[in-house]
Amino acid sequence: MEVSRILIVDDNPEIREIIHILLEGEGFLIEEAADGQHALDLTKKLDFDLIILDIMMPGLNGYQTCIEIRRNSNAPILFLSARTKDSDKTLGFSSGGDDYLAKPFSYNELISRSKALIRRYQVYRGKDAFAAPSMTSTELIFHHLKINEATEEVTSDGTPLVLTDTEYAMLLLLVKHRRQIFSAQHLYESVWNEPYYYGANNTVMVHIRNLRLKIEKDPKNPDLIKTVWGKGYRCD
């Protein structure tokens, strides 16, 4: 069974140590970085199943670091920050983050969210230790998109698209259930595999917007992912 590797990025050594001890005790391999540049260097050398990223850091802040990480890694990113305004969370999701946990945090919540993100990443990347490997290549054609479920590659008119695992999971769910309306709660609970909570609607909305920017010909007038006002989203 493959052991998952986690990168902790925080300029506070005490916080890094606490998280390191907690997650190492759960059986994960841990790497640490005290700043954004060090984190970028590590993501270019090693593959991670989760990146826990602080926002307020010297040099590159967490948002900037996240954007740069997304250029070469689709590993889930969990923001860990004392900044808890909705605007801060929206900015975190817009820069490519998958989840957001406020400081001070519950140790149990940190562990449970970390495991949930890693589990989802493994499932959608075919790394789940309990899943039987499949040699069958299933391709879905949806307008100008082609989705290869075996390799999890998405192309637009033959051009590869770089999607995060959350974006890929949302797209796959909507495309495989065309014309079905998914409420924000249904999408959140299906993709994040967590109970819906107050504010999750904004999380879904930001990820839908990011996904549209990547797959739509005209994101301002989307043809692929439709908004059904007052009900949710669907693919026609």
Side-chain angles (χ1 to χ4, degrees):
M1 180 176 177
E2 183 179 351
V3 178
S4 297
R5 188 190 304 270
I6 299 175
L7 174 60
I8 303 168
V9 189
D10 198 304
D11 62 322
N12 187 322
E14 294 181 357
I15 291 179
R16 291 202 310 272
E17 181 181 12
I18 291 171
I19 299 174
H20 190 135
I21 293 172
L22 283 173
L23 295 178
E24 192 172 56
E26 296 294 320
F28 298 113
L29 294 176
I30 307 297
E31 299 286 341
E32 296 184 21
D35 56 62
Q37 187 56 57
H38 188 196
L40 292 178
D41 293 340
L42 287 173
T43 58
K44 293 175 182 177
K45 298 175 183 177
L46 299 170
D47 291 326
F48 293 98
D49 295 282
L50 175 65
I51 299 169
I52 298 176
L53 183 59
D54 185 31
I55 292 177
M56 300 301 294
M57 297 186 295
L60 291 175
N61 64 34
Y63 302 133
Q64 294 168 324
T65 302
C66 184
I67 291 171
E68 293 301 318
I69 287 175
R70 281 288 171 251
R71 299 184 190 278
N72 59 75
S73 174
N74 284 322
I77 294 176
L78 169 62
F79 277 111
L80 198 63
S81 177
R83 302 179 64 166
T84 57
K85 293 182 179 179
D86 286 342
S87 58
D88 295 321
K89 295 180 181 180
T90 299
L91 187 54
F93 292 132
S94 298
S95 60
D98 294 277
D99 203 352
Y100 200 107
L101 185 60
K103 296 178 181 178
F105 53 86
S106 158
Y107 294 168
N108 287 335
E109 186 172 13
L110 173 65
I111 292 172
S112 63
R113 290 204 185 193
S114 297
K115 287 183 176 179
L117 287 167
I118 291 172
R119 181 170 59 250
R120 191 165 71 244
Y121 182 61
Q122 290 175 338
V123 168
Y124 287 109
R125 286 304 173 194
K127 295 168 61 179
D128 187 43
F130 302 101
S134 173
M135 299 304 292
T136 303
S137 175
T138 303
E139 288 189 342
L140 301 175
I141 307 298
F142 180 59
H143 295 269
H144 56 274
L145 298 180
K146 181 183 289 186
I147 304 171
N148 188 316
E149 289 191 76
T151 62
E152 299 187 359
E153 295 177 340
V154 180
T155 58
S156 173
D157 291 330
T159 301
L161 300 178
V162 180
L163 305 182
T164 68
D165 289 282
T166 302
E167 292 164 354
Y168 175 80
M170 293 181 77
L171 177 63
L172 187 64
L173 179 66
L174 289 167
V175 170
K176 293 183 78 170
H177 298 84
R178 299 181 196 183
R179 292 178 290 280
Q180 178 178 338
I181 299 174
F182 284 83
S183 67
Q185 179 174 348
H186 193 172
L187 270 175
Y188 185 84
E189 292 180 344
S190 298
V191 173
W192 275 261
N193 197 28
E194 295 179 2
Y196 186 78
Y197 69 96
Y198 177 78
N201 181 67
N202 191 53
T203 299
V204 171
M205 181 179 65
V206 171
H207 280 83
I208 288 287
R209 184 182 66 192
N210 290 343
L211 182 56
R212 282 172 169 163
L213 288 173
K214 296 179 179 181
I215 68 172
E216 298 280 1
K217 298 284 189 180
D218 181 5
K220 293 183 179 179
N221 298 287
D223 289 323
L224 305 184
I225 300 179
K226 301 282 190 177
T227 298
V228 183
W229 297 109
K231 294 184 178 181
Y233 306 92
R234 76 174 182 218
C235 279
D236 291 330

mmCIF file of all heavy atoms in Angstrom, residues 119-144:
data_model
loop_
_atom_site.group_PDB
_atom_site.id
_atom_site.type_symbol
_atom_site.label_atom_id
_atom_site.label_comp_id
_atom_site.label_asym_id
_atom_site.label_seq_id
_atom_site.Cartn_x
_atom_site.Cartn_y
_atom_site.Cartn_z
ATOM 1 N N ARG A 119 -8.177 11.047 0.195
ATOM 2 C CA ARG A 119 -9.000 9.943 -0.296
ATOM 3 C C ARG A 119 -9.624 10.302 -1.645
ATOM 4 O O ARG A 119 -9.603 9.495 -2.586
ATOM 5 C CB ARG A 119 -10.092 9.612 0.723
ATOM 6 C CG ARG A 119 -10.989 8.450 0.317
ATOM 7 C CD ARG A 119 -11.891 8.020 1.458
ATOM 8 N NE ARG A 119 -12.738 9.096 1.930
ATOM 9 C CZ ARG A 119 -12.596 9.703 3.118
ATOM 10 N NH1 ARG A 119 -11.626 9.340 3.926
ATOM 11 N NH2 ARG A 119 -13.429 10.661 3.477
ATOM 12 N N ARG A 120 -10.146 11.527 -1.751
ATOM 13 C CA ARG A 120 -10.752 11.951 -3.009
ATOM 14 C C ARG A 120 -9.707 12.046 -4.121
ATOM 15 O O ARG A 120 -9.946 11.643 -5.261
ATOM 16 C CB ARG A 120 -11.437 13.312 -2.814
ATOM 17 C CG ARG A 120 -12.312 13.713 -3.989
ATOM 18 C CD ARG A 120 -13.232 14.855 -3.625
ATOM 19 N NE ARG A 120 -12.529 16.104 -3.467
ATOM 20 C CZ ARG A 120 -12.449 16.777 -2.334
ATOM 21 N NH1 ARG A 120 -13.008 16.292 -1.245
ATOM 22 N NH2 ARG A 120 -11.795 17.920 -2.262
ATOM 23 N N TYR A 121 -8.540 12.528 -3.771
ATOM 24 C CA TYR A 121 -7.451 12.645 -4.747
ATOM 25 C C TYR A 121 -7.039 11.268 -5.258
ATOM 26 O O TYR A 121 -6.830 11.066 -6.456
ATOM 27 C CB TYR A 121 -6.266 13.346 -4.090
ATOM 28 C CG TYR A 121 -5.073 13.578 -4.994
ATOM 29 C CD1 TYR A 121 -5.194 14.352 -6.140
ATOM 30 C CD2 TYR A 121 -3.828 13.041 -4.686
ATOM 31 C CE1 TYR A 121 -4.107 14.586 -6.958
ATOM 32 C CE2 TYR A 121 -2.727 13.271 -5.497
ATOM 33 C CZ TYR A 121 -2.879 14.046 -6.631
ATOM 34 O OH TYR A 121 -1.793 14.273 -7.446
ATOM 35 N N GLN A 122 -6.940 10.305 -4.370
ATOM 36 C CA GLN A 122 -6.543 8.956 -4.751
ATOM 37 C C GLN A 122 -7.599 8.293 -5.617
ATOM 38 O O GLN A 122 -7.287 7.615 -6.591
ATOM 39 C CB GLN A 122 -6.272 8.117 -3.501
ATOM 40 C CG GLN A 122 -5.017 8.553 -2.756
ATOM 41 C CD GLN A 122 -4.829 7.799 -1.454
ATOM 42 O OE1 GLN A 122 -5.772 7.261 -0.893
ATOM 43 N NE2 GLN A 122 -3.605 7.765 -0.961
ATOM 44 N N VAL A 123 -8.862 8.500 -5.275
ATOM 45 C CA VAL A 123 -9.938 7.895 -6.048
ATOM 46 C C VAL A 123 -9.957 8.439 -7.471
ATOM 47 O O VAL A 123 -10.021 7.682 -8.445
ATOM 48 C CB VAL A 123 -11.302 8.142 -5.364
ATOM 49 C CG1 VAL A 123 -12.450 7.779 -6.314
ATOM 50 C CG2 VAL A 123 -11.403 7.331 -4.086
ATOM 51 N N TYR A 124 -9.863 9.751 -7.609
ATOM 52 C CA TYR A 124 -9.971 10.343 -8.934
ATOM 53 C C TYR A 124 -8.685 10.246 -9.737
ATOM 54 O O TYR A 124 -8.689 10.468 -10.940
ATOM 55 C CB TYR A 124 -10.431 11.805 -8.835
ATOM 56 C CG TYR A 124 -11.886 11.905 -8.475
ATOM 57 C CD1 TYR A 124 -12.292 12.348 -7.225
ATOM 58 C CD2 TYR A 124 -12.868 11.502 -9.377
ATOM 59 C CE1 TYR A 124 -13.637 12.409 -6.886
ATOM 60 C CE2 TYR A 124 -14.203 11.556 -9.045
ATOM 61 C CZ TYR A 124 -14.587 12.017 -7.795
ATOM 62 O OH TYR A 124 -15.914 12.067 -7.470
ATOM 63 N N ARG A 125 -7.578 9.900 -9.082
ATOM 64 C CA ARG A 125 -6.336 9.685 -9.813
ATOM 65 C C ARG A 125 -6.011 8.200 -9.952
ATOM 66 O O ARG A 125 -4.939 7.847 -10.415
ATOM 67 C CB ARG A 125 -5.172 10.408 -9.099
ATOM 68 C CG ARG A 125 -5.203 11.908 -9.272
ATOM 69 C CD ARG A 125 -5.206 12.286 -10.723
ATOM 70 N NE ARG A 125 -5.406 13.712 -10.916
ATOM 71 C CZ ARG A 125 -5.718 14.272 -12.072
ATOM 72 N NH1 ARG A 125 -5.899 13.540 -13.125
ATOM 73 N NH2 ARG A 125 -5.883 15.578 -12.169
ATOM 74 N N GLY A 126 -6.960 7.357 -9.550
ATOM 75 C CA GLY A 126 -6.751 5.930 -9.728
ATOM 76 C C GLY A 126 -5.691 5.351 -8.831
ATOM 77 O O GLY A 126 -5.102 4.318 -9.119
ATOM 78 N N LYS A 127 -5.416 5.989 -7.675
ATOM 79 C CA LYS A 127 -4.375 5.515 -6.784
ATOM 80 C C LYS A 127 -4.940 4.815 -5.553
ATOM 81 O O LYS A 127 -4.222 4.492 -4.629
ATOM 82 C CB LYS A 127 -3.504 6.690 -6.326
ATOM 83 C CG LYS A 127 -2.730 7.357 -7.433
ATOM 84 C CD LYS A 127 -2.132 8.672 -6.997
ATOM 85 C CE LYS A 127 -1.174 8.539 -5.870
ATOM 86 N NZ LYS A 127 -0.576 9.816 -5.447
ATOM 87 N N ASP A 128 -6.264 4.607 -5.548
ATOM 88 C CA ASP A 128 -6.878 4.000 -4.376
ATOM 89 C C ASP A 128 -6.384 2.567 -4.205
ATOM 90 O O ASP A 128 -6.483 1.745 -5.103
ATOM 91 C CB ASP A 128 -8.405 4.001 -4.540
ATOM 92 C CG ASP A 128 -9.101 3.530 -3.289
ATOM 93 O OD1 ASP A 128 -8.688 3.958 -2.211
ATOM 94 O OD2 ASP A 128 -10.043 2.742 -3.408
ATOM 95 N N ALA A 129 -5.835 2.276 -3.062
ATOM 96 C CA ALA A 129 -5.209 0.983 -2.829
ATOM 97 C C ALA A 129 -6.216 -0.164 -2.859
ATOM 98 O O ALA A 129 -5.853 -1.304 -3.076
ATOM 99 C CB ALA A 129 -4.490 0.985 -1.474
ATOM 100 N N PHE A 130 -7.485 0.142 -2.634
ATOM 101 C CA PHE A 130 -8.474 -0.919 -2.564
ATOM 102 C C PHE A 130 -9.235 -1.072 -3.880
ATOM 103 O O PHE A 130 -10.104 -1.927 -3.993
ATOM 104 C CB PHE A 130 -9.478 -0.626 -1.439
ATOM 105 C CG PHE A 130 -8.794 -0.494 -0.106
ATOM 106 C CD1 PHE A 130 -8.531 0.749 0.440
ATOM 107 C CD2 PHE A 130 -8.389 -1.621 0.595
ATOM 108 C CE1 PHE A 130 -7.896 0.868 1.660
ATOM 109 C CE2 PHE A 130 -7.759 -1.501 1.819
ATOM 110 C CZ PHE A 130 -7.509 -0.258 2.348
ATOM 111 N N ALA A 131 -8.909 -0.249 -4.866
ATOM 112 C CA ALA A 131 -9.610 -0.326 -6.144
ATOM 113 C C ALA A 131 -8.856 -1.219 -7.108
ATOM 114 O O ALA A 131 -7.644 -1.112 -7.241
ATOM 115 C CB ALA A 131 -9.767 1.079 -6.740
ATOM 116 N N ALA A 132 -9.575 -2.098 -7.775
ATOM 117 C CA ALA A 132 -8.936 -2.973 -8.746
ATOM 118 C C ALA A 132 -8.569 -2.173 -9.980
ATOM 119 O O ALA A 132 -9.374 -1.382 -10.472
ATOM 120 C CB ALA A 132 -9.901 -4.099 -9.136
ATOM 121 N N PRO A 133 -7.346 -2.337 -10.511
ATOM 122 C CA PRO A 133 -6.942 -1.583 -11.687
ATOM 123 C C PRO A 133 -7.772 -1.971 -12.895
ATOM 124 O O PRO A 133 -8.113 -3.140 -13.090
ATOM 125 C CB PRO A 133 -5.471 -1.997 -11.868
ATOM 126 C CG PRO A 133 -5.342 -3.298 -11.183
ATOM 127 C CD PRO A 133 -6.286 -3.250 -10.031
ATOM 128 N N SER A 134 -8.103 -0.994 -13.705
ATOM 129 C CA SER A 134 -8.899 -1.229 -14.893
ATOM 130 C C SER A 134 -8.085 -0.924 -16.140
ATOM 131 O O SER A 134 -7.399 0.087 -16.199
ATOM 132 C CB SER A 134 -10.153 -0.334 -14.873
ATOM 133 O OG SER A 134 -10.848 -0.437 -16.098
ATOM 134 N N MET A 135 -8.168 -1.804 -17.119
ATOM 135 C CA MET A 135 -7.445 -1.607 -18.361
ATOM 136 C C MET A 135 -8.372 -1.048 -19.436
ATOM 137 O O MET A 135 -7.977 -0.858 -20.575
ATOM 138 C CB MET A 135 -6.840 -2.942 -18.829
ATOM 139 C CG MET A 135 -5.851 -3.551 -17.839
ATOM 140 S SD MET A 135 -4.499 -2.438 -17.423
ATOM 141 C CE MET A 135 -3.672 -2.397 -18.996
ATOM 142 N N THR A 136 -9.628 -0.826 -19.092
ATOM 143 C CA THR A 136 -10.585 -0.340 -20.075
ATOM 144 C C THR A 136 -10.556 1.179 -20.131
ATOM 145 O O THR A 136 -10.711 1.855 -19.118
ATOM 146 C CB THR A 136 -12.013 -0.806 -19.714
ATOM 147 O OG1 THR A 136 -12.026 -2.219 -19.634
ATOM 148 C CG2 THR A 136 -12.994 -0.347 -20.768
ATOM 149 N N SER A 137 -10.387 1.711 -21.314
ATOM 150 C CA SER A 137 -10.370 3.155 -21.503
ATOM 151 C C SER A 137 -11.762 3.620 -21.887
ATOM 152 O O SER A 137 -12.302 3.204 -22.915
ATOM 153 C CB SER A 137 -9.357 3.540 -22.592
ATOM 154 O OG SER A 137 -9.420 4.923 -22.851
ATOM 155 N N THR A 138 -12.376 4.413 -21.047
ATOM 156 C CA THR A 138 -13.706 4.936 -21.316
ATOM 157 C C THR A 138 -13.606 6.417 -21.622
ATOM 158 O O THR A 138 -13.118 7.189 -20.805
ATOM 159 C CB THR A 138 -14.639 4.718 -20.109
ATOM 160 O OG1 THR A 138 -14.684 3.332 -19.800
ATOM 161 C CG2 THR A 138 -16.035 5.226 -20.416
ATOM 162 N N GLU A 139 -14.062 6.808 -22.805
ATOM 163 C CA GLU A 139 -14.017 8.211 -23.192
ATOM 164 C C GLU A 139 -15.428 8.769 -23.295
ATOM 165 O O GLU A 139 -16.322 8.140 -23.867
ATOM 166 C CB GLU A 139 -13.283 8.388 -24.519
ATOM 167 C CG GLU A 139 -11.785 8.188 -24.431
ATOM 168 C CD GLU A 139 -11.079 8.587 -25.705
ATOM 169 O OE1 GLU A 139 -11.745 8.700 -26.747
ATOM 170 O OE2 GLU A 139 -9.857 8.806 -25.651
ATOM 171 N N LEU A 140 -15.598 9.933 -22.727
ATOM 172 C CA LEU A 140 -16.868 10.634 -22.820
ATOM 173 C C LEU A 140 -16.675 11.836 -23.740
ATOM 174 O O LEU A 140 -15.733 12.604 -23.580
ATOM 175 C CB LEU A 140 -17.321 11.109 -21.439
ATOM 176 C CG LEU A 140 -17.528 10.038 -20.363
ATOM 177 C CD1 LEU A 140 -17.863 10.690 -19.031
ATOM 178 C CD2 LEU A 140 -18.645 9.088 -20.771
ATOM 179 N N ILE A 141 -17.572 11.980 -24.703
ATOM 180 C CA ILE A 141 -17.535 13.128 -25.606
ATOM 181 C C ILE A 141 -18.666 14.062 -25.210
ATOM 182 O O ILE A 141 -19.838 13.657 -25.173
ATOM 183 C CB ILE A 141 -17.689 12.700 -27.074
ATOM 184 C CG1 ILE A 141 -16.664 11.625 -27.448
ATOM 185 C CG2 ILE A 141 -17.557 13.920 -27.990
ATOM 186 C CD1 ILE A 141 -15.226 12.075 -27.323
ATOM 187 N N PHE A 142 -18.325 15.282 -24.936
ATOM 188 C CA PHE A 142 -19.324 16.267 -24.533
ATOM 189 C C PHE A 142 -19.004 17.584 -25.230
ATOM 190 O O PHE A 142 -18.087 18.291 -24.851
ATOM 191 C CB PHE A 142 -19.313 16.438 -23.011
ATOM 192 C CG PHE A 142 -20.317 17.432 -22.495
ATOM 193 C CD1 PHE A 142 -21.669 17.277 -22.736
ATOM 194 C CD2 PHE A 142 -19.903 18.528 -21.760
ATOM 195 C CE1 PHE A 142 -22.598 18.190 -22.258
ATOM 196 C CE2 PHE A 142 -20.813 19.451 -21.268
ATOM 197 C CZ PHE A 142 -22.168 19.283 -21.523
ATOM 198 N N HIS A 143 -19.772 17.871 -26.293
ATOM 199 C CA HIS A 143 -19.504 19.040 -27.126
ATOM 200 C C HIS A 143 -18.048 18.998 -27.608
ATOM 201 O O HIS A 143 -17.651 18.028 -28.235
ATOM 202 C CB HIS A 143 -19.830 20.330 -26.363
ATOM 203 C CG HIS A 143 -21.290 20.459 -26.039
ATOM 204 N ND1 HIS A 143 -22.190 21.093 -26.857
ATOM 205 C CD2 HIS A 143 -22.013 20.014 -24.974
ATOM 206 C CE1 HIS A 143 -23.413 21.052 -26.325
ATOM 207 N NE2 HIS A 143 -23.331 20.395 -25.180
ATOM 208 N N HIS A 144 -17.239 20.016 -27.292
ATOM 209 C CA HIS A 144 -15.851 20.031 -27.754
ATOM 210 C C HIS A 144 -14.898 19.384 -26.759
ATOM 211 O O HIS A 144 -13.693 19.365 -26.967
ATOM 212 C CB HIS A 144 -15.393 21.477 -28.017
ATOM 213 C CG HIS A 144 -15.545 22.373 -26.818
ATOM 214 N ND1 HIS A 144 -16.713 23.040 -26.527
ATOM 215 C CD2 HIS A 144 -14.676 22.705 -25.835
ATOM 216 C CE1 HIS A 144 -16.562 23.753 -25.433
ATOM 217 N NE2 HIS A 144 -15.328 23.567 -24.983
#
